[in-house]
Amino acid sequence: MPHFPMDSPDSVRSLPARRSVLGAMAATAASPALLGLSSPASAASAAPVAQPRALPGGGDLGPNVIVFDPSTSGIQAKLDEVFRQQESAQFGTGRYALLLKPGTYNGLNAQLGFYTSIAGLGLSPDDTAINGDVTVDAGWFNGNATQNFWRSAENLALTPVSGTNRWAVAQAAPFRRMHVRGGLNLAPTGYGWASGGYIADSRIDGSVGPYSQQQWYTRDSSVGGWANAVWNMVFSGVQGAPAQSFPNPPYTTLDTTPVSREKPFLYLNGSEYRVFLPERRTNARGTTWGSGTPRGTSLPLTQFYVARPGVTAATLNAALTQGLHLLLTPGIYHLDQPIQVDRAGTVVLGLGYATLIPDNGVTALRTADVDGVRLAGFLIDAGPVNSSTLLEVGPAGASASHSANPTTVQDVFIRIGGAGAGKATTSMVINSRHTIVDHTWVWRADHGTGVGWETNRADYGIRVNGDDVLATGLFVEHFNKYDVQWYGQRGRTIFFQNEKAYDAPNQAAIQNGNVRGYAAYKVADSVTTHEGWGLGSYCYYNVDPTIVQHNGFAAPNTPGVKFHDLLVVSLGGQGQYEHVVNETGAPTSGTSTVPSTVVSYP
């Protein structure tokens, strides 16, 4: 997304279109026999002839999971090697997870490029301490951080060399379970354009300086201070957050997060790899790990099918049917049928931006209407044959209550186009009640290859049919029609960031009956209860700057449907909003890129 320097907001002259393994698994984890499991051969001999042989759980994490311990030689050189490969590989095929065993590491600077995740393997971030930095900057893109996507840092304690760690990211770049023993700078060197981002379950002892970041969401964390705001800074459950003051300065602050459950993560218990499953919290505030061991349960890796690129969807489904969870190691997975998750409590966890591509118009992943499914840490990339949907949480008509044990969708990102032509009618459909969508970026690409109004056609981003769904950190951009459609009752969204599609060829292409343009966030007329906090939509109609968008938000005008702290922005005067929500809110005008805001609606 374009960023306008704060000292010259109308400057658009050069506006871009936005935006062998070290360390091995313990021998017990690699050998099914030592784990008390039958080897494939013995399983086949013991089973009836007609039965398929059982798939083993556990195993090696593959060549793109690189495991370090403090005694490993050449750590910095290996980090630098991966960064050189991934720094500008925005649509490349490389995928890496860098995992650090508990201990103390001195003098490291882990620079992260595309499709690179770094994480500690302790139960607490403080178990894995780096006297050094985990850095994201934008030198590869001339100081513009608006395309620093698809990378992550998790479960580490940092003592930055300069006292401040730099994390200049855009969308799909989570900062989770991190302890920064110092400050955090969210802007690139030179303070160029930046537009992220997301922090959860983290503690920053010093101050966070967003500087040029246009919008940001921080959840269930602790900060020593917060320096400034540009357009839209949202906090829920954050100790030390600035007070509510939208729109001047534009801080939206909720004391707690209504419901949250942190993302599953891989850790070491001695030499055994396990996956920790944090417990659900209500009215959460602060980190889960600040007073000792986090609360939750864990699963041994032997209960996971450790998938490697090249495995078929049929094999993944066989593993699920067998009762295993899925751990997707880094790489690209082509699917000729949907991954079908039918068992309550199933975990599908990706490492290093494991990427699912439906090849023949299928849905990449579907779940049944069951309790407690956890989907986390992977990317779905639309294939060249149109998929009607890419991710479905629950079947159509799902109605069971999951209030005590919801399904969570966390750091699951969807892309249509960019890496090649892709198409999907609706990217993500949420049918199951009480689902928590915690940080997603659903993106119809505006740059890369396979990009054009019809080339990467994708009419709808997210459709929510289920009741009682909560979204915390919702990033949805550039769809041909509605970016978000909400049909379920009692839905809630805390933080929404959107851009309308840049490439609409003319006004007629986005005409919605008698309405000019499709709202970014549409609550269906049948909905009687809905609430949103800290929602923003931007337009940049650079193909036809005369396009008028009637509003960013559309909803029934009823007392039970409430919005707090809304904004719309016309970037550099490329297109115009007439209103913010329904018929309310002043139009955007001129090239000054000043938001039009509504503090409360109705």
Side-chain angles (χ1 to χ4, degrees), residues 261 264 275-277 297-299 303-304 320 323-326 341-349 367-375 402 405-408:
R261 188 174 68 192
V275 173
F276 192 82
L277 307 178
T297 59
S298 69
L299 298 169
Q303 292 184 22
F304 285 77
L320 291 167
L324 294 171
H325 307 273
L326 296 182
V341 178
D342 290 329
R343 180 171 46 87
T346 298
V347 180
V348 180
L349 176 61
T367 77
D369 191 24
V370 294
D371 274 359
V373 172
R374 304 184 195 226
L375 309 177
H402 306 292
N405 192 7
T407 285
T408 45

Side-chain angles (χ1 to χ4, degrees), residues 47-71:
V49 173
Q51 296 299 315
R53 70 175 56 163
L55 294 164
D60 187 86
L61 295 178
N64 289 344
V65 176
I66 304 174
V67 183
F68 305 100
D69 65 49
S71 66

Side-chain angles (χ1 to χ4, degrees), residues 80 87 143 145 171 218 262 268 318 337 342 369 442 445 482-483 495:
D80 292 344
E87 180 183 11
Q171 288 72 30
T218 307
E262 298 305 327
L268 275 172
Q337 60 180 275
D342 290 329
D369 191 24
V442 183
Y482 290 118
D483 298 275
F495 183 89

Side-chain angles (χ1 to χ4, degrees), residues 567-592:
L567 69 92
V568 296
V569 182
S570 171
L571 301 177
Q574 305 293 294
Q576 181 192 40
Y577 289 93
E578 291 181 305
H579 300 287
V580 179
V581 52
N582 294 347
E583 310 302 316
T584 300
T588 58
S589 60
T591 60
S592 59

Side-chain angles (χ1 to χ4, degrees), residues 207-583:
S207 183
V208 178
Y211 302 113
S212 54
Q213 283 285 357
Q214 292 161 332
Q215 77 284 316
W216 199 275
Y217 176 50
T218 307
R219 178 182 63 72
D220 298 355
S221 294
S222 172
V223 298
W226 195 274
N228 72 291
V230 179
W231 290 343
N232 188 25
M233 300 282 151
V234 179
F235 308 84
S236 67
V238 178
Q239 298 165 339
Q244 169 72 31
S245 58
F246 188 91
N248 187 27
Y251 294 132
T252 298
T253 303
L254 287 73
D255 190 57
T256 61
T257 304
V259 187
S260 60
R261 188 174 68 192
E262 298 305 327
K263 178 186 170 187
F265 61 92
L266 191 68
Y267 76 103
L268 275 172
N269 180 25
S271 61
E272 177 196 22
Y273 283 84
R274 299 182 68 90
V275 173
F276 192 82
L277 307 178
E279 72 173 12
R280 169 181 165 272
R281 299 200 292 170
T282 57
N283 299 317
R285 181 171 173 81
T287 68
T288 63
W289 49 270
S291 57
T293 303
R295 297 176 64 89
T297 59
S298 69
L299 298 169
L301 197 64
T302 55
Q303 292 184 22
F304 285 77
Y305 178 72
V306 179
R308 302 275 286 272
V311 70
T312 65
T315 298
L316 296 173
N317 283 328
L320 291 167
T321 300
Q322 191 178 306
L324 294 171
H325 307 273
L326 296 182
L327 185 74
L328 305 173
T329 64
I332 296 174
Y333 297 75
H334 286 270
L335 307 174
D336 61 359
Q337 60 180 275
I339 298 172
Q340 184 66 45
V341 178
D342 290 329
R343 180 171 46 87
T346 298
V347 180
V348 180
L349 176 61
L351 300 178
Y353 288 85
T355 302
L356 308 177
I357 302 178
D359 286 330
N360 54 358
V362 301
T363 298
L365 190 149
R366 290 190 176 117
T367 77
D369 191 24
V370 294
D371 274 359
V373 172
R374 304 184 195 226
L375 309 177
F378 55 89
L379 171 66
I380 299 174
D381 211 350
V385 177
N386 185 73
S387 294
S388 60
T389 60
L390 293 172
L391 174 66
E392 294 179 17
V393 178
S399 60
S401 174
H402 306 292
S403 59
N405 192 7
T407 285
T408 45
V409 181
Q410 300 178 283
D411 301 348
V412 173
F413 308 119
I414 295 178
R415 178 174 68 193
I416 303 95
K423 293 185 177 182
T425 304
T426 305
S427 293
M428 182 186 297
V429 179
I430 307 295
N431 292 315
S432 287
R433 292 181 62 192
H434 301 103
T435 299
I436 300 172
V437 180
D438 176 45
H439 191 225
T440 188
W441 184 39
V442 183
W443 184 56
R444 175 181 168 265
D446 59 282
H447 63 270
T449 59
V451 171
W453 185 248
E454 297 294 342
T455 306
N456 62 329
R457 182 84 193 186
D459 282 352
Y460 308 109
I462 293 182
R463 177 174 175 138
V464 179
N465 296 319
D467 294 340
D468 307 293
V469 170
L470 171 65
T472 51
L474 195 59
F475 300 73
V476 189
E477 300 189 291
H478 303 151
F479 286 85
N480 294 78
K481 293 184 179 180
Y482 290 118
D483 298 275
V484 173
Q485 297 173 287
W486 209 295
Y487 290 86
Q489 297 287 355
R490 297 176 299 279
R492 292 174 291 184
T493 295
I494 304 172
F495 183 89
F496 171 67
Q497 183 268 319
N498 165 263
E499 282 185 335
K500 296 303 299 175
Y502 292 173
D503 55 345
N506 49 51
Q507 188 77 49
I510 61 165
Q511 194 67 19
N512 182 15
N514 295 324
V515 179
R516 296 202 276 190
Y518 290 80
Y521 190 105
K522 166 67 173 174
V523 180
D525 293 342
S526 59
V527 172
T528 57
T529 306
H530 186 91
E531 196 158 9
W533 297 263
L535 315 183
S537 178
Y538 322 141
C539 74
Y540 181 67
Y541 288 117
N542 62 328
V543 175
D544 181 359
T546 68
I547 289 175
V548 175
Q549 175 83 27
H550 183 65
N551 51 31
F553 305 91
N557 187 4
T558 183
V561 176
K562 304 174 184 178
F563 292 103
H564 314 273
D565 301 358
L566 302 178
L567 69 92
V568 296
V569 182
S570 171
L571 301 177
Q574 305 293 294
Q576 181 192 40
Y577 289 93
E578 291 181 305
H579 300 287
V580 179
V581 52
N582 294 347
E583 310 302 316

